[in-house]
Amino acid sequence: MNILREMITRPGRLVVQCHDDPDPDALASGLLVCRFGEYFNRKIEFIYSGNNPISKSNAIKMVELLGIEIRYVAENELKDQVPADILLLVDCRTGQKNVKPYPYKEIAVIDHHTIKGEYDAPGLCDIRPQVGSCVAIIWNLVQQCNNSRGMPLGVSDLEAYPGRHYLGTALYYGLFMDTNGFGFGSNLDKRLKNHLEKHQSFDSHIFNKLSRKKYSLDEMFQIAKIETGAIKDTYHVFKLPDKSDYDSIDSGSYYPFVRKDLSFLICCGEICSNSVLGQIADDLISADDIDLCVAYAITPAGDLRISVRSHVDYVSAADLAYYITDCHGGGHSVKAGGTISTKEHPELRDTLAGPANVRKYLTARIHDYLDIYKIIDTAPLDGTFIDKYYGNEILNYCKKDNLRLGFVFTADIIRDEGLDHNTHFQLDLKQDWGDNISVHKAEMQFIEDIDRDKVIMIGIDGRIYPLTMVQFLNSYQPTEEAFYDRECKGPELVSSDTGESYDIIRYAKACYSKKSDPVRAVKTHTQAYKLRSGWGRRFYISSRPGDYIVAGQGEYDIWPVDGELFDKLYDRV
């Protein structure tokens, strides 16, 4: 029997209760049940009890960041409550010391804890001790039900705010915590993790905030000093309040421009290796409420070496390092480094003399970098976004058909190299391949989390970007024709599991663009943007002044196009 399906068919008041002082798995489990009920137009109340409200710091932060609506009913007030027609206990069961049930007429239980001794199970009961998390059991029950399209329910079907990924992030974090950082678990736990990752159904920025170490900054500073023995100056934290006039925004409508309120930390290390400098940055970014960290050291030659860490999804560590060092840095979206050579930049020798001067320089560069861009998250929007904010400047276009581009099916590499079909890759774009391949954006030095369902595209100017298979087949006609007619160097796919590299150029074939539905586009002129849309939920894509923002017909179907390429790709309608 599917308890969730049974519950929503019963009349009356439905209440879901988790154990006292709930942990992330309990919170995620109750939230998933509530979203399931809402999908089928059944209101389900979410409560917990006990002598005190939630005390766990990560659970408090989870409720705040994800907007979880859960009501605290003090234990001494339970007797005064109106009984629920059905009470569902999640991540707990009757008879346990950490839960005193809300008054009920009928009770149901979904749990994953081992039963010790005899247990008088209710008729509606699903207890699976072999599963690492309760949320995985509930997710299994959810997927046994179909959505309006006749397909198994997905996380996106149940999100209260489409594109915001609050539910998916709750599930991912709850699963993470109850499986010891995904270190163990059943096949159900693994299937939920794979589903959330495959469909990019969680917000990595919020997850990083929740999953970082629960130490204060002072504690992490002492840990870093002990671990590295290489810190010579105290840390300095800077708050960056957003200057935009948000008070003038209509609170009843969604405003897509992201506030740039964050805390960044700058710390000076002794003369030390890059790995030690990186360890300092790793420790300090783990402190609570720090969004960006730049650890630095001055070499005997007077050069500045930096190690950058970012927990902000719209600030790529690689992009920031690249900017701070004037194109002499790079790395990943969360970790990066770089060097400023005073031999190449003698004008900076005085500027970089002493910690106070370096802090002033780094602070100015970080402020300048963040001021360049207007940050847009189009997640809850469709293509009407640009109509609302750029209405008078919008023109209609149609993509040119029969344009020749290159493509690589990741699945072909997995098959031909005899790899596991669940292999994930990152695409290394750090190098320069001359006229064959180019990288437009610094933060795209690595394209991460590429799986067998991704298609790697090579644009008409050699620029690399990923598409889903559905996006590719909707827009392009694949062929067996080799894309390159001569041998050339190009980027490699690197296995996230083994570190082995695989050349994509020899797999590159030609495809031709299909005639597309009309799109709407606006030229940005003087403003640079960072934009996140359905084309890449895990990262923001930068645009420069003069680039175009293009909106298609689909949900979240918004993307930037290089101003120099636009006329080669689109015709005016």
Side-chain angles (χ1 to χ4, degrees), residues 425-437:
F425 302 94
Q426 68 178 16
L427 189 59
D428 186 350
L429 300 177
K430 290 187 296 183
Q431 304 175 45
D432 180 10
W433 294 283
D435 295 332
N436 300 311
I437 302 291

Side-chain angles (χ1 to χ4, degrees), residues 173-333:
Y173 182 58
L175 180 65
F176 173 83
M177 291 302 295
D178 253 39
T179 58
N180 194 25
F182 306 127
F184 71 91
S186 67
N187 285 333
L188 280 187
D189 298 294
K190 294 174 183 176
R191 279 165 52 190
L192 173 55
K193 177 177 181 287
N194 291 340
H195 176 89
L196 293 168
E197 292 176 345
K198 178 180 178 179
H199 296 283
Q200 300 183 10
S201 299
F202 64 96
D203 188 310
S204 58
H205 175 47
I206 297 178
F207 175 75
N208 286 336
K209 275 182 171 288
L210 292 170
S211 60
R212 69 179 67 173
K213 296 174 185 176
K214 301 304 167 189
Y215 293 106
S216 70
L217 181 52
D218 285 335
E219 290 170 330
M220 286 312 306
F221 182 70
Q222 295 305 318
I223 290 172
K225 286 183 73 171
I226 293 169
E227 286 187 341
T228 66
I231 297 179
K232 77 177 202 179
D233 187 24
T234 188
Y235 59 82
H236 298 266
V237 177
F238 303 87
K239 298 287 185 180
L240 186 73
D242 197 294
K243 301 173 185 176
S244 304
D245 182 14
Y246 284 81
D247 294 334
S248 65
I249 302 302
D250 178 8
S251 60
S253 62
Y254 174 73
Y255 189 60
F257 301 111
V258 176
R259 292 186 66 110
K260 291 182 282 190
D261 292 318
L262 53 84
S263 297
F264 64 88
L265 177 149
I266 296 173
C267 182
C268 178
E270 296 275 9
I271 298 171
C272 56
S273 67
N274 287 335
S275 60
V276 172
L277 197 62
Q279 183 63 54
I280 293 172
D282 284 339
D283 284 339
L284 295 179
I285 193 64
S286 298
D288 203 15
D289 294 326
I290 294 298
D291 301 299
L292 291 173
C293 175
V294 179
Y296 72 91
I298 301 294
T299 70
D303 298 339
L304 174 68
R305 286 196 289 110
I306 62 170
S307 188
V308 181
R309 301 293 182 266
S310 174
H311 276 160
V312 187
D313 53 0
Y314 58 80
V315 178
S316 160
D319 197 25
L320 182 57
Y322 188 83
Y323 182 82
I324 289 174
T325 60
D326 193 21
C327 308
H328 293 284
H332 297 266
S333 59

Side-chain angles (χ1 to χ4, degrees), residues 544-563:
R544 301 170 298 186
D547 287 353
Y548 286 76
I549 295 178
V550 181
Q553 305 297 318
E555 194 175 24
Y556 324 139
D557 200 10
I558 304 172
W559 64 98
V561 175
D562 189 296

